[in-house]
Amino acid sequence: MEAARAAEIGPPGLPTPAGAKVQKLRKSLHAKAKAEVGYRFYSLWDKVHREDVLEEAWRQCRRNGGAPGVDEEEFKVIEAQGKEAWLANLQDELRAKRYAPRPLLRVWIPKANGKLRPLGIPTVRDRVAQAAVLLVLQPIFEADLLAEQYGFRPGLDAKMAVRRAFFHINQHGRHEIVDANLKDYFNAIPHSPLMRCVARRVADRQVLKTIKQWLGSPVMERTRQGWTRTTEARDGRRGTPQGGVFSPLLANLYFRRFALAWRRGDVTRKTDAHLVNYADDFVLCCRPGGGEVALAKMRELMGKLGLTVNEEKTRLVRLPEGSFDFLGYTFGWQYGRDGKPYLGTRPSKRALLRVLRRIHDETSMRWNTTSAEKRVEEVNRVLRGWCSYFDQGPVFRAYRVCRSSA
């Protein structure tokens, strides 16, 4: 397992000459970090502005796409005007240490509960710079992240986290579950302790300075009255903007502090409570009788980290009487074809409603100007992606609902 994940430290996607060189660099950095737990890396900035690293960073950002930032510069426009010259200009800025991030663009996206989540969208230029730093730093910190952490890591995904939680429940009888939720985790991370997490491995001053600049970037939002500019993150010294390329790694680094404290704590041994974490979602799987103690200890540790537990959404669930949702799956009683109950998983109602809304949106009247073939292709893409993830447990009823809606 560890060897397979180490092989994925290199950039994803089809191999390119630049990608092969970057993969070699990343494997070297990962091996050094793995071999020397306390080692701090002093010379990293020269690797960030390497031509092959920037080329690979551009390739990854281009593949992910996304809306333009405050400068409204788009990938296709950059390519039309000359990507090579654009990258060379960015490389010069980075090499000369003249690079400074531009403000983030505030956009709002709907959440599953009907509320809106704020995103901070960097410009294409800042996305590529962040991706370059990520290519260099991720393999270093990958050596330190814990096995309980599954989010945004090479070789790991959300379904693996679901399987791990299922393993704790079914194989080890950990039937008391602390179904936890944090208030606005990404925007609540305090900058000073977060930077100490980074500096534990990184001693390169220019890298540290640039990360601080990203954390304190102002936010621009277009309103009916015109543009507004806020500096909430810099003033409050909290938050890593959702929407940034580099933010998931920073979120993982800070959550590692909780995961490490939990692993080393006496409560973990006394309650046999095991953590499963994906980004800001996590559960604590406990043996019967240990849930209340684990819940209280979790609240205490989060308070020490400067984070707030969302009490409205945090609860203690006792299986099999109760059930809980985690990463799109509902854990609880399921029923086989013979009608016998068993502890298992199924796609949650919320996940099913979300894909049904997506299908409805993709087949609505506003697409009348596009061809039927194009609509069928898009709906099939949505269904393939959804069914690829939701393929564990009794899923055929959910599949039938999706098929009838399409």
Side-chain angles (χ1 to χ4, degrees), residues 48-353:
V48 170
H49 60 68
R50 271 176 34 170
E51 183 178 351
D52 55 345
V53 171
L54 289 174
E55 181 69 35
E56 184 61 32
W58 166 272
R59 188 180 72 85
Q60 293 189 14
C61 291
R62 184 68 178 94
R63 185 182 65 243
N64 293 334
V70 292
D71 60 1
E72 300 183 344
E73 190 174 42
E74 300 182 32
F75 287 104
K76 61 183 180 181
V77 174
I78 296 171
E79 290 172 333
Q81 294 176 350
K83 180 199 73 175
E84 289 73 18
W86 187 90
L87 281 175
N89 183 60
L90 176 59
Q91 184 182 33
D92 289 342
E93 287 186 19
L94 294 169
R95 185 189 291 119
K97 300 181 181 179
R98 290 185 284 104
Y99 167 80
R102 291 165 185 163
L104 301 170
L105 175 65
R106 168 71 74 235
V107 298
W108 299 85
I109 61 171
K111 297 170 65 174
N113 60 8
K115 296 182 180 180
L116 296 175
R117 171 182 286 123
L119 294 185
I121 306 299
T123 63
V124 172
R125 167 180 169 272
D126 291 332
R127 262 178 269 178
V128 173
Q130 288 186 25
V133 174
L134 182 64
L135 284 169
V136 173
L137 293 193
Q138 186 187 46
I140 295 172
F141 289 112
E142 181 61 28
D144 297 335
L145 295 179
L146 305 185
E148 295 92 328
Q149 297 180 266
Y150 288 83
F152 309 108
R153 298 180 61 188
L156 299 177
D157 58 31
K159 243 184 349 186
M160 290 182 179
V162 170
R163 293 189 189 110
R164 174 54 58 178
F166 183 73
F167 170 80
H168 286 311
I169 293 168
N170 262 27
Q171 300 299 316
H172 290 277
R174 299 181 179 112
H175 288 178
E176 288 196 4
I177 310 298
V178 176
D179 180 14
N181 187 279
L182 297 176
K183 276 189 177 179
D184 203 13
Y185 173 63
F186 280 82
N187 291 323
I189 299 174
H191 289 175
S192 293
L194 173 60
M195 288 306 301
R196 287 197 293 272
C197 293
V198 178
R200 189 179 59 83
R201 279 294 201 172
V202 177
D204 188 304
R205 291 184 179 180
Q206 187 61 31
V207 172
L208 294 173
K209 175 186 174 183
T210 302
I211 295 173
K212 285 181 182 178
Q213 289 177 322
W214 288 334
L215 290 174
S217 293
V219 176
M220 302 286 291
E221 183 174 2
R222 192 192 298 273
T223 66
R224 292 180 179 178
Q225 291 74 35
W227 286 98
T228 62
R229 179 187 175 99
T230 58
T231 56
E232 185 177 342
R234 185 173 61 196
D235 297 341
R237 297 181 180 180
R238 283 181 177 270
T240 175
Q242 294 188 69
V245 177
F246 200 68
S247 293
L249 176 60
L250 294 177
N252 272 345
L253 284 181
Y254 199 66
F255 199 93
R256 176 184 178 272
R257 297 184 70 186
F258 170 78
L260 201 58
W262 190 262
R263 179 185 282 190
R264 293 173 176 174
D266 291 338
V267 169
T268 306
R269 290 187 290 272
K270 291 177 182 178
T271 64
D272 192 32
H274 287 252
L275 168 70
V276 183
N277 161 239
Y278 187 93
D280 58 343
D281 289 324
F282 69 101
V283 292
L284 299 169
C285 304
C286 318
R287 287 280 176 86
E292 293 284 357
V293 178
L295 177 58
K297 187 62 178 181
M298 183 273 293
R299 289 189 179 115
E300 176 191 334
L301 290 175
M302 288 303 179
K304 290 180 179 179
L305 291 173
L307 302 172
T308 304
V309 176
N310 188 337
E311 298 295 348
E312 293 180 0
K313 296 182 179 179
T314 298
R315 62 198 183 105
L316 177 61
V317 178
R318 292 181 173 88
L319 299 174
E321 297 84 3
S323 65
F324 69 98
D325 290 353
F326 182 53
L327 299 176
Y329 278 90
T330 294
F331 290 70
W333 274 134
Q334 314 300 332
Y335 295 90
R337 293 180 179 177
D338 56 1
K340 291 184 179 180
Y342 64 93
L343 272 176
T345 63
R346 67 177 184 274
S348 70
K349 291 181 180 178
R350 182 177 294 179
L352 183 57
L353 287 174

